Amino acid sequence: MYDPIPFKIELDYVTFSGWRWGKGNGQTVIALHGWLDNCASFARIAPGLAAECDLDIWALDLAGHGHSGFRPQGSYYHIWDNVLDLALLMDAQGWESIDLLGHSMGAAVATLMAGAMPDRVGRVALLEGIGPVATAAEDAPSQLAQAAGKYQLLGYKTPSLYASVEDAAEARMKGVGEISYEAALPLAKRGVKASDDGYLWRYDARLRIPSPVRLTEDQINHFCAAIDAPVCLITAEHGFLIDRENTRTRSAHVKDLICHCLPGNHHFHLEPDSCTEVLHELVSFWNGLETE
């Protein structure tokens, strides 16, 4: 097992931070966490995956999350901005091609990246996500209006304060995708900072604003169809993707896809009781041993 190596990568407009696992000479994998999480999302599976498959795993704090920088004032957080971040980060690091490991929102980013730049992506593992949230074309005006209204109220919001990191972890248990304390604590340790009055989450408050514009379901299907890489989609029995029609339709558009459904919740890769099975399937995928 490898202990994480902290890293920072400075681009012209934002600095990216994260944790890295691996010996430095294996296949490069960029790991992308979910909304309002951070790179600690992969703390239970990345060490074993790097060791078993000789991978060099770079788990990012996405822009506005964890220890990475915020987007400049006057800019916003669109899902596709993360794809541009990845392309520029690859150029800065001199990476011709990468593999992708994404959870939830990170899986949405990985889907778009693999579809938009198939020549730069080798393998893709998606945990509890395939493509982003969609908005029907006829709902686009109301979506934009809703986002504008939320931005107008942003300056009046007071961030939540917690007496300790542990209290922040307990609050995270009740957030999007309810998780156990054991899963929430690594996210809190990475994701909060001390202030004069207590602890507060590091993430940019603008991340909580609804997206001004979203892709349509048809557009997302075209991204899925453009993916050339082998894809492994792993869903949780008590996760977000079970019995969703768009999970089936999006999956049907991917040319080389294998699917697994495993016990656990939306954060099954971080939960102590379920992470081992997730790791097993990922190791099989990267070693070319995957089966239906």
Side-chain angles (χ1 to χ4, degrees):
M1 296 291 183
Y2 306 117
D3 292 328
I5 302 169
F7 68 83
K8 282 192 175 183
I9 302 172
E10 293 188 9
L11 300 182
D12 290 340
Y13 57 95
V14 70
T15 297
F16 286 98
S17 296
W19 286 344
R20 179 184 177 191
W21 290 267
K23 299 177 182 178
N25 57 0
Q27 171 62 28
T28 300
V29 180
I30 297 183
L32 307 166
H33 60 76
W35 180 63
L36 301 187
D37 287 346
N38 53 65
C39 68
S41 178
F42 300 99
R44 295 195 193 276
I45 61 171
L49 184 59
E52 291 288 333
C53 303
D54 191 25
L55 300 175
D56 193 16
I57 299 176
W58 297 67
L60 288 181
D61 289 335
L62 293 168
H65 295 78
H67 289 248
S68 287
F70 293 2
R71 298 205 184 278
Q73 289 298 315
S75 61
Y76 308 99
Y77 287 88
H78 302 102
I79 190 75
W80 48 80
D81 290 334
N82 297 288
V83 176
L84 302 177
D85 292 339
L86 289 179
L88 294 172
L89 187 148
M90 289 176 67
D91 292 342
Q93 293 295 108
W95 294 328
E96 291 296 323
S97 67
I98 56 169
D99 292 352
L100 293 170
L101 167 62
H103 169 248
S104 194
M105 183 187 77
V109 175
T111 304
L112 299 181
M113 178 70 179
M117 303 178 188
D119 58 323
R120 305 199 73 178
V121 178
R123 280 180 175 263
V124 182
L126 306 175
L127 307 179
E128 274 288 288
I130 179 168
V133 176
T135 292
E138 61 269 24
D139 294 331
S142 60
Q143 180 70 27
L144 181 56
Q146 180 188 23
K150 294 291 185 180
Y151 272 108
Q152 290 168 345
L153 296 173
L154 190 62
Y156 300 96
K157 296 280 187 179
T158 301
S160 298
L161 285 170
Y162 304 94
S164 66
V165 174
E166 291 75 17
D167 285 350
E170 290 183 2
R172 178 62 186 86
M173 291 170 62
K174 306 176 183 68
V176 175
E178 293 188 9
I179 58 177
S180 71
Y181 178 77
E182 290 75 17
L185 188 58
L187 297 176
K189 286 181 176 179
R190 175 75 179 175
V192 303
K193 61 181 179 180
S195 71
D196 292 338
D197 301 315
Y199 292 85
L200 66 160
W201 290 93
R202 292 177 176 272
Y203 62 75
D204 190 340
R206 289 177 292 172
L207 288 165
R208 300 189 71 93
I209 303 295
S211 300
V213 179
R214 290 181 178 145
L215 298 173
T216 65
E217 197 64 40
D218 186 53
Q219 288 175 313
I220 295 168
N221 286 335
H222 281 284
F223 275 97
C224 291
I227 298 173
D228 288 335
V231 179
C232 178
L233 171 63
I234 307 178
T235 58
E237 290 179 352
H238 301 289
F240 290 173
L241 270 61
I242 292 296
D243 296 328
R244 285 193 176 182
E245 180 61 29
N246 65 2
T247 301
R248 290 186 286 270
T249 56
R250 294 177 186 185
S251 298
H253 282 83
V254 180
K255 293 185 283 287
D256 186 359
L257 175 73
I258 187 163
C259 298
H260 300 283
C261 185
L262 301 179
N265 61 27
H266 184 59
H267 283 77
F268 59 168
H269 64 302
L270 188 54
E271 295 282 3
D273 293 341
S274 55
C275 64
T276 300
E277 288 194 57
V278 177
L279 174 59
H280 173 77
E281 295 299 344
L282 292 175
V283 168
S284 295
F285 175 62
W286 257 282
N287 283 337
L289 305 173
E290 66 273 14
T291 57
E292 289 285 359

